[in-house]
């Protein structure tokens, strides 16, 4: 059990990860094109970042585009890429001024050079900010991330930089896109779907999950607070016994 993984009542989560789902259904319910749902989803993303900061969440990870989302119609894919590009271009200075460090996780090799440059620029500019970390999972798939990390390990072992026999959890974790980030304590998924959709499979091994029926464009401050409150009602045991039982056993 590593530091921070102690059984007992939950404190406030320092790292919250969100699967932002339901933009399409939000639009469909209103007879609007799916694109309008994505536009409103971006507004919800902006307010989630603000709210996270105000609610004391130090790291916010947002799943914005999965490795599987390339399967959508080309028009939707290019709309989503454009939206992300405009978000970084438009909001970067504001995020920077607010002391937000921006990190992007996900595969970089198959991104177009302009998006790759933008991603690198956002990270470089905000690198030293300490108020909050915003992690955007873009072209992200947890299996892809683990495969890429494994490839790095294999290369290091083949080159003699590491001894395969010494590979442990920390060695692998340090090759993931999230290398220097703590694991999320809480993963929220909106829109009522109760699956993980290839998100943070390694990092969420012991996260609490909160599934809310709220569609992402409607995920406001109250919904965020409710998810945090639900987390506060959970008891995290990490495979151990809960504290009162522990004490009782010790006293017997
Ligand atoms: C989330 O909303 C945005 C992305 C996955 C990129 P969806 O587009 O998945 O919305 P639904 O699930 O179709 O309602
Ligand atoms: C998960 O949502 C990916 C993101 C939120 C970026 P999807 O809408 O793509 O997931 P599925 O297809 O319902 O599993
Ligand atoms: Mg969806």
């Amino acid at each position: 059990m590593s530091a921070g993984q102690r059984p007992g009542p939950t404190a406030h989560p320092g790292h919250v990860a969100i699967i932002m789902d339901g933009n399409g259904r939000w639009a469909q319910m209103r007879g609007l094109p799916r694109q309008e749902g994505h536009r409103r989803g971006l507004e919800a993303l902006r307010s989630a970042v603000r709210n996270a900061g105000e609610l004391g969440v130090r790291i916010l990870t947002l799943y914005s585009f999965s490795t599987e989302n390339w399967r959508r119609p080309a028009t939707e894919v290019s709309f989503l890429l454009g939206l992300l590009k405009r978000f970084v271009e438009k909001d970067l200075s504001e995020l920077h001024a607010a002391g937000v460090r921006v990190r992007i996780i996900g595969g970089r090799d198959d991104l177009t050079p302009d998006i790759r440059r933008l991603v690198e620029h956002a990270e470089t500019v905000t690198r030293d900010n300490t108020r909050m970390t915003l992690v955007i999972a873009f072209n992200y798939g947890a299996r892809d991330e683990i495969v890429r990390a494994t490839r790095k390990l294999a290369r290091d072992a083949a080159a003699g930089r590491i001894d395969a026999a010494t590979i442990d959890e920390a060695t692998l974790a340090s090759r993931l896109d999230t290398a220097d980030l703590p694991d999320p304590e809480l993963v929220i998924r909106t829109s009522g779907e109760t699956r993980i959709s290839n998100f943070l499979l390694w990092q969420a091994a012991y996260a609490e999950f909160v599934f809310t029926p709220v569609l992402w464009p409607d995920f406001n401050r109250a919904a965020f607070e409710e998810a945090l409150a639900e987390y506060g009602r959970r008891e995290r045991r990490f495979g151990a016994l809960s504290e009162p039982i522990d004490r009782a056993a010790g006293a017997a």
Side-chain angles (χ1 to χ4, degrees):
M1 197 155 57
S2 64
Q5 292 198 340
R6 307 230 180 287
T10 45
H12 198 66
H15 182 178
V16 175
I18 309 183
I19 303 173
M20 309 181 290
D21 198 13
N23 293 350
R25 278 162 284 170
W26 184 94
Q28 202 174 16
M29 279 169 55
R30 289 164 177 77
L32 297 168
R34 289 179 60 85
Q35 300 192 344
E36 191 50 33
H38 294 313
R39 252 189 230 110
R40 296 297 292 258
L42 179 59
E43 290 310 314
L45 181 156
R46 287 191 170 107
S47 70
V49 177
R50 254 193 324 272
N51 288 328
E54 288 169 14
L55 293 166
V57 173
R58 297 301 305 266
I59 305 173
L60 179 68
T61 297
L62 300 174
Y63 202 6
S64 73
F65 193 89
S66 74
T67 45
E68 287 71 34
N69 286 145
W70 296 105
R71 296 178 188 154
R72 296 189 180 194
T75 47
E76 176 155 345
V77 168
S78 67
F79 184 81
L80 285 167
L81 299 191
L83 209 58
L84 180 97
K85 227 177 119 185
R86 280 198 301 283
F87 166 68
V88 177
E89 283 165 353
K90 268 186 72 179
D91 288 37
L92 186 64
S93 54
E94 203 179 307
L95 291 167
H96 185 40
V100 178
R101 178 171 69 132
V102 178
R103 282 278 304 271
I104 286 93
I105 58 170
R108 303 250 169 126
D109 290 351
D110 37 359
L111 300 182
T112 56
D114 61 328
I115 293 191
R116 208 178 318 149
R117 265 197 304 276
L118 196 66
V119 158
E120 285 161 7
H121 174 67
E123 290 187 330
T124 308
V125 168
T126 63
R127 190 173 43 195
D128 298 323
N129 292 340
T130 54
R131 202 155 174 274
M132 189 189 150
T133 299
L134 171 63
V135 185
I136 304 272
F138 177 75
N139 187 31
Y140 178 86
R143 287 186 169 182
D144 174 64
E145 179 191 33
I146 293 168
V147 166
R148 285 185 287 106
T150 306
R151 218 178 274 146
K152 287 180 210 160
L153 279 183
R155 271 198 223 107
D156 286 345
R161 286 188 289 269
I162 57 167
D163 173 1
T166 66
I167 293 173
D168 59 10
E169 291 184 9
T171 325
L172 177 56
S174 72
R175 267 89 175 165
L176 295 172
D177 298 345
T178 50
D180 54 339
L181 297 165
D183 290 341
E185 290 97 346
L186 169 64
V187 176
I188 301 168
R189 183 170 187 146
T190 58
S191 88
E193 306 296 351
T194 47
R195 57 178 164 265
I196 196 164
S197 300
N198 204 10
F199 188 46
L200 302 180
L201 295 180
W202 174 280
Q203 298 87 342
Y206 254 109
E208 294 296 325
F209 283 79
V210 169
F211 298 102
T212 166
V214 172
L215 301 173
W216 177 249
D218 293 327
F219 190 81
N220 56 16
R221 169 83 171 224
F224 205 150
E225 284 177 1
E226 177 44 38
L228 294 178
E230 170 64 33
Y231 173 83
R233 291 190 285 272
R234 303 280 175 86
E235 186 197 14
R236 308 186 76 202
R237 286 190 288 276
F238 300 105
L241 299 181
S242 60
E243 290 212 299
I245 295 171
D246 238 359
R247 272 198 296 277

